[in-house]
Amino acid sequence: MKNFEEKLEQSLKKEYPLSKEARFAYDEAYTTIAKKNTSVTKKARNFWHNRKFMLALTSAAFIFLLLGVSPIGSAIANYLQFGQFTSKTLKTKGFVTKQNSQQTTKEIQIAVKEVYADTNEIGIHFAIALPQKSKLTNPKIDQYALNFALKNADGSLIFDLNTGLSSNGLAGSVSGSQHYDKKTNQLDLYYRYHTADKAIPVLKNSTIIVTSLTGNFKREDKPGFSYQKEGSDYEKITGRWELPIKTSQIKPFSTLRFETIANSTIALTAHVTPTTFTVIVPHSFETLKNISSAEIYLTATSSTKNSTQIKYPLSSINASKTIEKEDILTFDYPAYDTYQKITLHLGKKEFFFLLN
């Protein structure tokens, strides 16, 4: 089975030069179905703004279901974890920091193993050791989830994933992946919390507070609402695990600026953080109207011997909070300073960006 996973991983590397593309492929297929025959109009923008939280949770659940705990799932999960950053700068200068904070409650040890953070996104890798006879080791369970919040030293909550510690709840979107080793009863959960408006503050002596761990049984979903019953639909352990983060190890990475080249039909600006490529587009820009989100994406061409064009689909579109006449296009982008030239595709039109 190990050889099979290695071969599958090699195959996936050839097809998807960037690890995030696996997640994008799933997200794009799912959201394309959900938004079929819709266009990026003002109505669509309002719809996504009002439904962001519900759709974020739906996407997270969908990703967990796709991965499951199968050997194939664990191989694909390598592309959703924190080796996803392809920039040499991010890798050599330690954008993802090692952590080793852990606490045991009700015989369940939860540890924070890795963390990364910038103004747009936070990633957290949890390693959970389950007791041999825990109800959460039931073989019928096929997906796991944590309820947790991230608190800064001043007491403010950066985000809250259904812990009940804050009435505000989640202000952005969340996605994740998982892998469960049945031989050792170790569960690895990877969470990515994302905002589109650079609203994440600098982490200072932050603490993660976990309030529960849930394991959901595999079942066939039927249309309509169905009441979930503990013991038959899921198993849940509640408690309190407080896990400090060594924020002093998290290094700041500057925001990079891209500009459209002179022969582009309109001057657009873009900036890049280690996790996100953001493009600012005027509301009056006709090209952005009446095109589907599937037609909005970035491409970059690798400089390897067998060069490959890499696609980055649209992650979200939002109206600017500070300037109402602009739209903000965001793309999950793990390459940071790797490419000097990026092409923005808006329907049939292309716009070329150069690193400033």
Side-chain angles (χ1 to χ4, degrees):
M1 188 61 68
K2 183 178 180 181
N3 291 335
F4 170 78
E5 288 193 24
E6 290 176 351
K7 290 180 180 179
L8 178 59
E9 184 174 347
Q10 291 174 0
S11 176
L12 285 172
K13 283 183 177 178
K14 293 180 181 179
E15 188 171 354
Y16 299 102
L18 289 182
S19 59
K20 277 194 174 182
E21 302 314 300
R23 188 180 71 79
F24 291 151
Y26 296 139
D27 285 349
E28 190 177 30
Y30 183 68
T31 54
T32 299
I33 293 172
K35 298 184 288 183
K36 187 176 182 181
N37 297 327
T38 62
S39 59
V40 184
T41 61
K42 183 177 181 180
K43 182 178 180 181
R45 294 186 193 105
N46 293 334
F47 174 84
W48 284 110
H49 178 74
N50 296 333
R51 302 294 191 274
K52 183 186 293 184
F53 175 63
M54 184 174 292
L55 288 173
L57 294 183
T58 302
S59 298
F62 177 67
I63 292 169
F64 275 113
L65 284 169
L66 279 171
L67 293 174
V69 292
S70 66
I72 294 179
S74 65
I76 294 176
N78 292 332
Y79 291 88
L80 305 181
Q81 297 168 7
F82 297 160
Q84 61 192 321
F85 298 103
T86 54
S87 164
K88 184 177 179 180
T89 301
L90 298 181
K91 290 180 177 180
T92 58
K93 295 187 178 181
F95 178 62
V96 178
T97 64
K98 299 294 182 182
Q99 305 280 329
N100 195 27
S101 178
Q102 61 185 39
Q103 184 175 353
T104 300
T105 299
K106 294 185 178 180
E107 299 185 327
I108 295 178
Q109 183 190 85
I110 300 181
V112 176
K113 305 301 289 185
E114 295 172 298
V115 169
Y116 68 79
D118 65 14
T119 56
N120 293 303
E121 185 171 299
I122 295 174
I124 304 171
H125 169 199
F126 294 95
I128 303 166
L130 298 174
Q132 187 67 36
K133 296 183 179 180
S134 172
K135 59 184 180 181
L136 291 173
T137 61
N138 190 322
K140 293 182 180 180
I141 293 175
D142 77 332
Q143 62 170 301
Y144 294 87
L146 287 174
N147 291 133
F148 68 98
L150 178 61
K151 182 175 70 173
N152 244 348
D154 60 2
S156 62
L157 291 178
I158 296 174
F159 68 84
D160 182 1
L161 188 55
N162 299 326
T163 65
L165 298 176
S166 170
S167 58
N168 295 328
L170 188 69
S173 61
V174 64
S175 60
S177 64
Q178 67 174 38
H179 176 60
Y180 176 50
D181 189 329
K182 296 180 180 179
K183 292 182 180 179
T184 62
N185 289 332
Q186 177 165 312
L187 171 65
D188 289 280
L189 295 176
Y190 299 80
Y191 282 90
R192 295 173 61 240
Y193 168 72
H194 183 85
T195 68
D197 54 4
K198 302 184 71 175
I200 297 176
V202 175
L203 302 188
K204 294 182 179 179
N205 298 322
S206 306
T207 301
I208 296 171
I209 302 172
V210 179
T211 59
S212 68
L213 171 62
T214 302
N216 296 297
F217 296 130
K218 185 176 182 179
R219 65 188 185 90
E220 293 183 5
D221 289 326
K222 296 180 180 180
F225 175 81
S226 61
Y227 179 76
Q228 299 293 294
K229 184 178 180 181
E230 186 172 356
S232 59
D233 295 300
Y234 66 92
E235 297 288 3
K236 186 174 185 178
I237 300 293
T238 59
R240 190 178 179 90
W241 295 260
E242 295 197 13
L243 308 167
I245 297 175
K246 297 177 182 177
T247 54
S248 60
Q249 297 181 3
I250 299 177
K251 301 176 183 178
F253 285 77
S254 60
T255 297
L256 306 180
R257 182 181 175 86
F258 279 74
E259 293 183 350
T260 48
I261 61 177
N263 63 349
S264 294
T265 57
I266 187 171
L268 302 177
T269 60
H271 54 260
V272 179
T273 69
T275 64
T276 309
F277 193 105
T278 303
V279 181
I280 309 300
V281 180
H283 253 322
S284 59
F285 190 32
E286 294 296 325
T287 302
L288 193 59
K289 299 177 181 179
N290 301 317
I291 60 175
S292 69
S293 60
E295 297 177 281
I296 304 175
Y297 58 94
L298 304 175
T299 56
T301 303
S302 65
S303 58
T304 58
K305 184 177 181 181
N306 298 319
S307 61
T308 305
Q309 189 176 72
I310 305 158
K311 180 180 177 181
Y312 303 91
L314 177 71
S315 176
S316 65
I317 178 170
N318 297 277
S320 172
K321 290 184 178 180
T322 55
I323 304 176
E324 294 184 357
K325 295 183 179 181
E326 292 182 341
D327 285 322
I328 303 173
L329 309 181
T330 61
F331 305 82
D332 284 340
Y333 184 75
Y336 192 49
D337 58 352
T338 302
Y339 303 105
Q340 299 297 307
K341 182 178 179 181
I342 301 293
T343 304
L344 170 66
H345 302 261
L346 298 178
K348 296 181 178 180
K349 292 190 176 182
E350 296 181 345
F351 301 87
F352 304 101
F353 288 90
L354 290 178
L355 182 62
N356 189 6

